[in-house]
Amino acid sequence: MSAILRELLRVSEKAANIARACRQQEALFQLLIEEKKEGDKNKKFAVDFKTLADVLVQEVIKQNMENKFPGLEKKIFGEESNEFTNALGEKIILRLCPTEEETVELLSKVLNGNKLASEALAKVVHQDVAFTDPTLDSMEINIPQDILGIWVDPIDSTYQYIKGSSDIESNQGIFPSGLQCVTILIGVYDIQTGVPLMGVINQPFVSQDLNTLRWKGQCYWGLSYMETQIYSPQPPNSKKYSSDAQSQLTANTGSEAEFSCLFSAVISTSEKETIKAALSRVCGERVFSAAGAGYKSLCVVQGLVDIYIFSEDTTFKWDSCAAHAILRAMGGGMVDLKECLERNPEAGLDLPQLVYHMENEGATGVDRWANKGGLIAYRSRKQLEMFLSLLIQNLAAVDTHT
């Protein structure tokens, strides 16, 4: 239902406020960046605070949704456990308390009595947020609540969140690293089919006021259910760099060779050399590196690139569900790379879309929810088919040269 999506947008903004507060407020930032020195206690404390920011965001999302939609909290899944052990060995379950004062008291236990930091965090946690989107407000879509499951990645790209610079230059609109690569990801899927239905990507750090040093963010959303496909209006700086291939494909003329170097792709810095080599043949110089799985997916949503490709098995359902739902609403999607490379297009089989309701057989721990075959995120099926055809040819060519 669109009421759930509206509330997810609101809680994502509340989560973004917490993420910004931890970077902007001195008492909190000092804990976030605390160096690992002077023995185990400091080391553990620094790790714990990073985890605390993650868990706090996750709990705010879970408990706000439960308040509005009773029963939904049991279907919200994320990476983080909300159980902490402090320096005194006390086990503490972190939950939002009814009042700010009670939250301060609970946070003080987790933060070993740091009252200043606990008060600063509790204040932003209990701050109310109003968030509306006229496009969504004008719609009413009814999706049964009992078929919904939700994946949450409270702060994607935590390394950039802690260490990322605020003054990284973008490369044709794409940030290779820095705070802009941090995202809050909320994806809603059908628990029976695993199909993504709604997605919210909140980018807390988009632009900084140089006088106040305060950050402003941007929120993206999409909903794809039965005949309804709607998504957030794109900011004016989007859709710049991926239009060449799209317009060529729309024209539907020319040979495959002519399409080479018209595509653009974003990849991880750790991508395999064979994939990089094949991509340089397919995309020429239009291959960009960036941090954060959520941010790279967002680059496709924004239209800054045509494709996000990742060949490793180290992204998870919480990394991909939100962007996948938005891309579905736009006419795109997210597919299993390994299965795509093994698929015979002549067989008429459908593209192997990622699904979100099933664990990986035989896997344990977080690997149960890994995207085992890697992934490709795309904006248009026609584009993807052409890209895959070129990629497979060029992977074969790379193999013969190595």
Side-chain angles (χ1 to χ4, degrees), residues 333-344:
M334 213 176 272
V335 288
D336 183 297
L337 171 62
K338 187 168 181 281
E339 285 185 38
C340 281
L341 296 179
E342 292 167 353
R343 164 180 168 263
N344 177 5

Side-chain angles (χ1 to χ4, degrees), residues 201-339:
I201 300 178
N202 196 310
Q203 193 182 12
F205 305 98
V206 174
S207 58
Q208 190 177 30
D209 184 311
L210 295 178
N211 294 320
T212 63
L213 299 182
R214 294 204 165 274
W215 284 89
K216 281 186 177 170
Q218 179 74 43
C219 208
Y220 301 81
W221 58 266
L223 184 153
S224 173
Y225 181 67
M226 297 175 78
E227 303 306 309
T228 303
Q229 322 288 328
I230 54 166
Y231 53 91
S232 49
Q234 298 290 285
N237 65 340
S238 293
K239 300 184 276 195
K240 284 191 207 166
Y241 304 105
S242 65
S243 56
D244 294 352
Q246 185 61 55
S247 57
Q248 285 272 12
L249 286 167
T250 306
N252 202 21
T253 58
S255 67
E256 279 193 2
E258 288 172 340
F259 290 122
S260 197
C261 299
L262 283 174
F263 289 99
S264 55
V266 65
I267 61 170
S268 168
T269 49
S270 64
E271 188 52 81
K272 290 175 185 166
E273 289 306 318
T274 50
I275 298 282
K276 284 181 181 175
L279 280 177
S280 70
R281 288 164 168 255
V282 176
C283 303
E285 293 180 3
R286 294 156 65 96
V287 180
F288 305 90
S289 292
Y295 177 67
K296 286 189 279 286
S297 304
L298 179 58
C299 289
V300 182
V301 169
Q302 289 174 312
L304 294 171
V305 290
D306 303 307
I307 298 287
Y308 160 37
I309 183 168
F310 188 57
S311 63
E312 304 286 339
D313 60 358
T314 51
T315 66
F316 300 88
K317 301 304 178 194
W318 49 81
D319 293 313
S320 55
C321 189
H324 192 170
I326 299 171
L327 288 166
R328 272 189 84 234
M330 300 172 98
M334 213 176 272
V335 288
D336 183 297
L337 171 62
K338 187 168 181 281
E339 285 185 38

Side-chain angles (χ1 to χ4, degrees), residues 14-25 28-29 31-33 46 49-57 121 124 153-166 177-184 203-205 215 291-292:
K14 196 165 188 176
N17 284 345
I18 295 168
R20 284 188 286 260
C22 290
R23 280 287 311 211
Q24 287 170 181
Q25 295 187 24
L28 301 177
F29 186 54
L31 298 184
L32 200 62
I33 61 168
F49 188 74
K50 187 279 295 180
T51 310
L52 177 62
D54 259 347
V55 173
L56 208 49
V57 166
L121 263 182
V124 72
D153 191 340
I155 299 175
D156 187 55
S157 198
T158 45
Y159 181 82
Q160 296 303 322
Y161 179 54
I162 296 166
K163 302 284 189 186
S165 172
S166 59
S177 60
L179 280 171
Q180 286 87 350
C181 299
V182 174
T183 51
I184 292 161
Q203 193 182 12
F205 305 98
W215 284 89

